[in-house]
């Protein structure tokens, strides 16, 4: 069993059903002391891409999945881990049911900075909504700075 802490667009259960179809959701939780931010603006037409940085003043809403080996390899490819775009790190997840689990999350191999496209940020906020994130968390995502899609 490999626990995966999904954030960003991977919070959307529909995306995860396509990206890891054989891996059930374990449940929602929080990465305490982490902040979702953006990096790698020059690597995507979507502008900067979601990543995580440690920050004791913030928490990130996640959905934990029990990944099969097949889905784990497929997700590595999807996330560009085999191309060194993202790498896996181990994180502690405070699950909504009170349990604490160790899972992996993907972080970008780049410096923090840049703006995501408006379209990408909307996708992330919608994903958080579909995953059951609190309304205040979704609203924080919806009001983050972004740039119009396709602009440099």
């Amino acid at each position: 069993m490999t626990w995966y802490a999904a954030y960003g667009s991977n919070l959307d259960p529909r995306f995860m059903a396509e990206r890891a179809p054989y891996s059930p959701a374990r449940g929602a939780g929080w990465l305490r002391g982490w902040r979702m931010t953006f990096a790698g603006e020059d690597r995507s037409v979507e502008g900067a891409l979601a990543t995580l940085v440690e920050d004791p003043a913030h928490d990130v809403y996640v959905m934990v999945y029990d990944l099969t080996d097949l889905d784990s390899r497929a997700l590595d490819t999807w996330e560009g881990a085999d191309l060194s775009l993202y790498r896996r790190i181990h994180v502690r997840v405070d699950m909504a049911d009170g349990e604490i689990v160790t899972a992996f999350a993907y972080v970008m191999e780049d410096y923090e900075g840049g703006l995501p496209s408006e379209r990408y940020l909307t996708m992330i906020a919608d994903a958080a909504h579909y995953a059951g994130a609190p309304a205040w968390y979704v609203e924080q995502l919806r009001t983050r700075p972004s740039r119009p899609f396709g602009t440099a």
Side-chain angles (χ1 to χ4, degrees):
M1 136 175 86
T2 301
W3 296 116
Y4 164 57
Y7 67 96
S9 64
N10 281 353
L11 276 174
D12 191 320
R14 299 169 305 174
F15 292 161
M16 284 302 292
E18 294 172 10
R19 296 171 187 169
Y22 306 107
S23 300
R26 156 71 172 81
W30 293 92
L31 300 181
R32 305 286 182 199
W34 290 85
R35 174 172 46 89
M36 189 181 75
T37 187
F38 296 89
E41 188 169 35
D42 60 334
R43 297 184 182 209
S44 168
V45 298
E46 294 288 356
L49 300 170
T51 191
L52 299 170
V53 294
E54 288 187 89
D55 185 334
H58 290 87
D59 301 319
V60 178
Y61 185 82
V62 297
M63 184 63 67
V64 173
Y65 286 86
D66 182 4
L67 288 185
T68 66
D69 289 340
L70 179 65
D71 283 349
S72 182
R73 288 189 300 275
L75 202 54
D76 277 351
T77 299
W78 174 262
E79 293 296 336
D82 52 344
L83 302 173
S84 297
L85 180 62
Y86 282 89
R87 66 181 169 90
R88 290 181 176 202
I89 61 167
H90 287 92
V91 292
R92 176 183 152 155
V93 182
D94 291 359
M95 301 297 293
D97 65 7
E99 187 177 355
I100 297 173
V101 300
T102 300
F104 81 87
Y106 292 102
V107 294
M108 182 159 251
E109 290 283 2
D110 212 326
Y111 294 100
E112 180 180 6
L115 290 176
S117 73
E118 182 179 19
R119 184 178 85 104
Y120 181 56
L121 192 57
T122 298
M123 180 188 315
I124 290 171
D126 288 349
H129 170 76
Y130 297 140
W136 63 265
Y137 186 83
V138 175
E139 184 60 24
Q140 281 183 348
L141 291 171
R142 292 199 190 285
T143 58
R144 288 184 78 145
S146 63
R147 61 180 178 77
F149 180 71
T151 61

